[in-house]
């Protein structure tokens, strides 16, 4: 994972979200960087269902938060 090797952030810190936050809203990401609440924002494309299927069938696991699909069904 790039955060471990390139950024020097441990797997435990990633899991506990000490140095990394996961946000869905692009405007919120930009606001946090502009205000100094965050140093950098990485905007990534969502994973496709076919990718999750292929990885699962291969017996592999997805990285943390990579399968956090949005929009979830809302209660009726």
């Amino acid at each position: 994972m790039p955060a471990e090797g390139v950024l020097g952030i441990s797997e435990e810190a990633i899991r506990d979200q000490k140095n990394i936050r996961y946000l869905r809203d692009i405007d919120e990401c930009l606001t946090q960087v502009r205000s100094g609440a965050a140093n950098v924002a990485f905007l990534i494309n969502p994973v496709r269902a076919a990718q999750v299927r292929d990885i699962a069938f291969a017996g592999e696991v997805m990285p943390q938060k990579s399968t956090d699909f949005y929009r979830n069904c809302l209660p009726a």
Side-chain angles (χ1 to χ4, degrees):
M1 172 173 272
E4 292 176 53
V6 175
L7 301 176
I9 300 172
S10 71
E11 185 176 335
E12 181 180 342
I14 293 168
R15 186 176 49 251
D16 295 340
Q17 295 189 33
K18 292 181 179 177
N19 302 98
I20 294 178
R21 287 177 290 209
Y22 299 92
L23 303 172
R24 290 186 175 119
D25 188 274
I26 292 171
D27 291 328
E28 178 63 21
C29 291
L30 296 175
T31 297
Q32 290 205 12
V33 171
R34 289 176 180 149
S35 71
N39 293 321
V40 66
F42 297 97
L43 306 175
I44 59 171
N45 292 321
V47 65
R48 294 185 309 270
Q51 292 172 304
V52 174
R53 181 202 60 218
D54 293 345
I55 290 170
F57 286 156
E60 301 292 328
V61 295
M62 299 288 293
Q64 178 183 9
K65 299 287 187 181
S66 63
T67 56
D68 180 27
F69 296 105
Y70 186 74
R71 297 237 179 232
N72 293 330
C73 295
L74 299 175

